[in-house]
C-alpha cells in the first residue's frame, strides 16, 4: 500500500480522526495492561467507567475538566492564528501566584467582593506572563515556542521561592506552603457535597463566547486570517501584530484564570504542587478538539478521565503515576498519525502479472531472443 495525496482535504477524516485515535489508544492501552500483568478489563474500567459511575464521580470529572477546558480554549485562539504558545503551564502558575497573593490579603472581615478580585488577579498574572512572550516576539522576533516554554521553569522557580520563603506559613510545621486561604476567598460551589464550583460555568460561557467570536464576528475572521496568511492579511489591511498580541494575551489570561480557580477552589492554598501539567495537557485537548470550542469541551472531559483514571490505577492496580502521561502521549501520537488521512488516502495498487519468459525455438540460443545463431566464442 502507499499514501496518495487527496485532491482536497477530507472533511470526513477531520472529524473521524480523533475517534480513530481514541480507539487506537484504547487498543494500545489494553496491550500495555497485558504486558504489565494487569487485567485489561479492570484497567479500562478505572479509566473509562469509574470517573462517570456516580454523581460524585461526575463532579470530580468536571473539577478536573474545568482548568483543561479554560486553558485549551485560550490555546485554540493562539493556534488558529498560527501563534504557538507552549507555555500555558507557566501562565497557569503565574495566575495562581497572583490570585494567591490577593487571597492572602483577606481576613475575617473581608467581604465576598474578594472573589472576583482574586479571579481578575489570576487573569492579570497570566496575561502579564504571556505578554513577555508577545513582547519578545514582536520587538525582537524571538521564537515564541522557546520563550514561552522556558518561562514555564521561571514561573516554577518564582512559586518555589515564595512558598519556601516570604509566603511560607509560619504555623505550617515547616512545610513549603502558604496558609490556607480564608473561607471568604473560596470559589462558590454549585452544589452541596461536591467540589464543582462556578469555574465550570465560566468555562462553558467561554466556549460559547469563543464560538461567537470565531464564527460570527468580523474580528474573529480578521484574527484567523492575520495568523494563517500574513501576506494576505497585510494586503487586506489586517494587522498581524494585533493578532499576535490578542492571541497571547487571551491565552495567557485564560491560563491565569484557570490557575486562580484552582488555588482558590480545590487546593485552597499555594504549594509547590500547583503545577499539575494542565498547561501541557491542554495542548492535546485543543488539538483533539480540532481547535473548535465544542470539540474542546468533549476532549477536555476525555482528558480529565485520563487524569482520574491514572490516580485510580495507582491505588487499585498498583501502576505508577506516569501511566496518566503514557495515555496522554498515546492519544497525541495516535491523533498525529491519524491526521495523515485528512490530506492523504491509502491506496493498494493492483499487482502486476508476472511477465512470461520468452519462448525459445528448437534452434534458439539463450544468449539473445529471436537469435538462431550460436553465441560467439571468446578466447584469450
Amino acid at each position: 500500500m502507499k499514501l496518495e495525496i487527496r485532491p482536497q482535504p477530507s472533511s470526513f477524516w477531520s472529524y473521524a480522526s480523533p475517534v480513530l485515535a481514541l480507539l487506537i489508544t484504547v487498543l494500545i492501552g489494553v496491550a500495555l495492561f497485558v504486558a504489565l500483568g494487569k487485567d485489561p478489563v479492570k484497567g479500562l474500567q478505572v479509566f473509562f467507567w469509574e470517573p462517570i459511575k456516580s454523581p460524585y464521580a461526575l463532579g470530580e470529572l468536571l473539577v478536573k475538566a474545568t482548568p483543561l477546558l479554560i486553558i485549551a480554549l485560550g490555546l485554540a485562539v493562539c493556534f488558529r492564528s498560527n501563534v504557538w504558545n507552549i507555555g500555558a503551564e507557566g501562565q497557569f502558575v503565574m495566575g495562581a501566584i497572583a490570585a494567591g497573593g490577593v487571597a492572602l490579603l483577606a481576613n475575617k472581615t473581608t467581604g465576598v467582593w474578594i472573589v472576583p478580585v482574586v479571579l481578575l488577579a489570576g487573569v492579570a498574572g497570566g496575561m502579564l506572563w504571556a505578554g513577555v512572550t508577545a513582547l519578545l516576539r514582536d520587538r525582537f522576533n524571538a521564537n515564541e515556542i522557546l520563550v514561552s516554554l522556558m518561562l514555564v521553569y521561571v514561573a516554577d522557580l518564582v512559586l518555589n521561592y515564595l512558598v519556601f520563603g516570604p509566603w511560607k506559613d509560619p504555623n505550617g510545621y515547616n512545610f513549603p506552603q502558604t496558609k490556607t486561604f480564608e473561607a471568604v476567598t473560596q470559589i462558590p460551589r454549585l452544589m452541596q457535597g461536591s467540589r464543582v464550583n462556578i469555574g465550570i460555568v465560566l468555562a462553558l460561557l467561554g466556549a460559547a463566547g469563543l464560538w461567537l467570536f470565531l464564527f460570527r464576528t468580523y474580528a474573529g475572521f480578521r484574527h484567523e486570517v492575520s495568523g494563517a496568511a500574513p501576506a494576505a492579511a497585510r494586503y487586506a489591511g489586517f494587522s498581524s501584530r494585533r493578532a499576535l498580541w490578542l492571541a497571547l494575551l487571551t491565552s495567557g489570561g485564560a491560563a491565569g484564570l484557570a490557575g486562580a480557580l484552582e488555588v482558590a477552589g480545590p487546593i485552597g492554598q499555594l504549594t509547590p504542587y500547583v503545577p499539575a501539567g494542565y498547561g501541557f495537557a491542554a495542548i492535546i485537548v485543543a488539538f483533539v478538539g480540532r481547535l473548535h470550542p465544542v470539540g474542546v469541551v468533549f476532549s477536555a472531559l476525555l482528558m480529565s478521565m485520563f487524569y482520574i483514571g491514572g490516580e485510580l490505577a495507582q491505588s487499585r492496580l498498583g501502576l505508577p503515576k506516569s501511566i496518566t502521561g503514557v495515555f496522554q502521549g498515546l492519544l497525541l501520537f495516535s491523533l498525529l498519525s491519524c491526521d495523515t488521512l485528512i490530506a492523504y488516502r491509502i491506496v493498494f495498487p493492483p499487482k502486476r502479472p508476472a511477465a512470461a519468459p520468452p519462448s525459445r525455438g528448437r534452434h534458439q540460443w539463450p544468449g539473445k531472443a529471436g537469435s538462431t545463431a550460436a553465441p560467439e566464442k571468446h578466447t584469450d
Side-chain angles (χ1 to χ4, degrees):
M1 67 179 183
K2 67 176 183 178
L3 294 176
E4 183 180 87
I5 299 178
R6 297 180 183 272
Q8 58 184 6
S10 171
S11 57
F12 170 78
W13 281 109
S14 296
Y15 298 99
S17 175
V19 179
L20 180 59
L22 177 60
L23 179 60
I24 294 174
T25 301
V26 171
L27 294 177
I28 298 178
V30 169
L32 181 63
F33 288 133
V34 172
L36 293 174
K38 307 297 181 181
D39 186 354
V41 175
K42 291 183 178 179
L44 294 179
Q45 183 179 357
V46 298
F47 272 94
F48 296 103
W49 170 243
E50 294 291 337
I52 60 173
K53 73 173 185 178
S54 67
Y56 178 79
L58 285 173
E60 291 300 302
L61 184 70
L62 294 178
V63 170
K64 289 289 186 182
T66 297
L68 291 171
L69 175 55
I70 294 176
I71 299 173
L73 290 173
L75 291 177
V77 176
C78 269
F79 298 156
R80 276 182 168 271
S81 61
N82 204 27
V83 177
W84 301 98
N85 178 18
I86 310 298
E89 180 77 359
Q91 295 144 26
F92 172 88
V93 172
M94 292 305 294
I97 292 173
V102 173
L104 288 173
L105 299 176
N107 52 43
K108 301 294 184 181
T109 62
T110 305
V112 294
W113 55 265
I114 194 69
V115 174
V117 178
V118 168
L119 296 181
L120 290 175
V123 173
M127 292 178 69
L128 176 64
W129 212 238
V132 175
T133 301
L135 178 65
L136 294 176
R137 161 72 186 274
D138 184 24
R139 296 295 300 273
F140 303 103
N141 199 28
N143 188 298
E144 73 272 17
I145 297 176
L146 297 177
V147 173
S148 60
L149 182 59
M150 293 299 102
L151 286 176
V152 173
Y153 303 101
V154 178
D156 289 345
L157 291 174
V158 172
L159 175 64
N160 288 332
Y161 166 75
L162 293 174
V163 297
F164 279 91
W167 290 1
K168 186 177 181 179
D169 184 8
N171 300 319
Y173 302 100
N174 206 33
F175 285 100
Q177 60 190 25
T178 65
K179 70 173 186 178
T180 302
F181 301 150
E182 297 290 341
V184 71
T185 65
Q186 296 294 306
I187 304 300
R189 297 184 179 182
L190 295 181
M191 61 189 75
Q192 295 293 333
S194 175
R195 297 197 302 162
V196 182
N197 55 45
I198 62 172
I200 188 61
V201 178
L202 296 177
L204 293 176
L205 290 176
L210 180 59
W211 184 85
L212 291 173
F213 171 75
L214 291 176
F215 306 116
R216 290 296 183 269
T217 65
Y218 176 71
F221 170 75
R222 180 177 59 191
H223 176 73
E224 290 196 63
V225 172
S226 298
R234 286 193 297 269
Y235 181 79
F238 301 160
S239 173
S240 58
R241 293 184 60 193
R242 180 184 300 174
L244 169 69
W245 280 93
L246 176 63
L248 283 171
L249 292 182
T250 301
S251 178
L257 175 61
L261 288 169
E262 192 72 7
V263 296
I267 299 179
Q269 61 183 163
L270 286 175
T271 73
Y273 307 105
V274 167
Y278 290 139
F280 295 119
I283 298 174
I284 306 176
V285 171
F287 279 106
V288 172
R290 282 290 178 263
L291 306 182
H292 192 286
V294 177
V296 169
V297 172
F298 291 103
S299 61
L301 292 173
L302 174 63
M303 191 60 65
S304 62
M305 293 176 73
F306 286 169
Y307 269 102
I308 296 176
E311 294 171 358
L312 294 176
Q314 295 179 65
S315 59
R316 300 187 183 182
L317 301 179
L319 292 175
K321 182 180 179 181
S322 57
I323 193 69
T324 300
V326 169
F327 269 88
Q328 292 176 357
L330 285 175
L331 182 61
L332 177 60
F333 282 105
S334 299
L335 179 67
L336 293 175
S337 301
C338 294
D339 277 354
T340 306
L341 298 175
I342 299 175
Y344 295 85
R345 59 186 174 192
I346 300 175
V347 295
F348 295 89
K351 294 183 178 179
R352 296 179 179 178
S359 60
R360 300 188 179 97
R362 184 170 51 183
H363 302 292
Q364 184 177 354
W365 294 90
K368 186 176 181 181
S371 174
T372 58
E376 299 179 0
K377 293 182 179 180
H378 297 278
T379 57
D380 294 333

